[in-house]
Amino acid sequence: MDEELLKAYCRSAYRVRLRTGGTAIIRIGEPLPVALRELANNRDWGFFTAWNPRSRPQSPATNRATQRRLLADLRADASLDIHPALGKGTDGWREPSFWIVGIAPDALERLGDRYGQNAWLVGHGAGAAELRLR
């Protein structure tokens, strides 16, 4: 992976929309924000998008269609708690995403394969967010 792309992932803010309004920001290497800890409890979680596979820009229509397929895949598992989210870089990059509670790291890896993603975040409970690379 390109070193600049890796740096961009690490500098990004991974925003989760709160049901009470506002957002909580997940950052790589930092503990889960307090506002999300009760939701995560003692479960695995991930931050994932289907936008721009392999970090190659796609049309908005293609990205929206792929993201809808991802949401349908996630909703097929009733045990998952799915929250709207947004990955936001320091250079203007933005990708609608999902914060998914109850998803195992290996399930995220399968999604990474299916949707052609270079990277995603994983975590457990209140622990630190980790960047997983393809």
Side-chain angles (χ1 to χ4, degrees), residues 68-90:
R68 283 191 298 272
R69 283 195 304 277
L70 170 61
L71 182 57
D73 284 348
L74 295 172
R75 285 182 172 163
D77 184 341
S79 71
L80 300 179
D81 190 5
I82 306 160
H83 301 265
L86 179 74
K88 188 172 182 194
T90 58

Side-chain angles (χ1 to χ4, degrees), residues 28-94:
I28 295 168
E30 294 183 12
L32 192 66
V34 172
L36 299 175
R37 291 180 186 178
E38 187 175 321
L39 295 169
N41 198 0
N42 193 31
R43 298 181 289 169
D44 291 328
W45 55 263
F47 193 101
F48 195 89
T49 186
W51 277 58
N52 299 321
R54 309 262 185 281
S55 297
R56 294 187 185 121
Q58 305 292 309
S59 73
T62 297
N63 279 326
R64 284 191 299 271
T66 307
Q67 192 79 344
R68 283 191 298 272
R69 283 195 304 277
L70 170 61
L71 182 57
D73 284 348
L74 295 172
R75 285 182 172 163
D77 184 341
S79 71
L80 300 179
D81 190 5
I82 306 160
H83 301 265
L86 179 74
K88 188 172 182 194
T90 58
D91 61 356
W93 161 86
R94 306 166 60 95

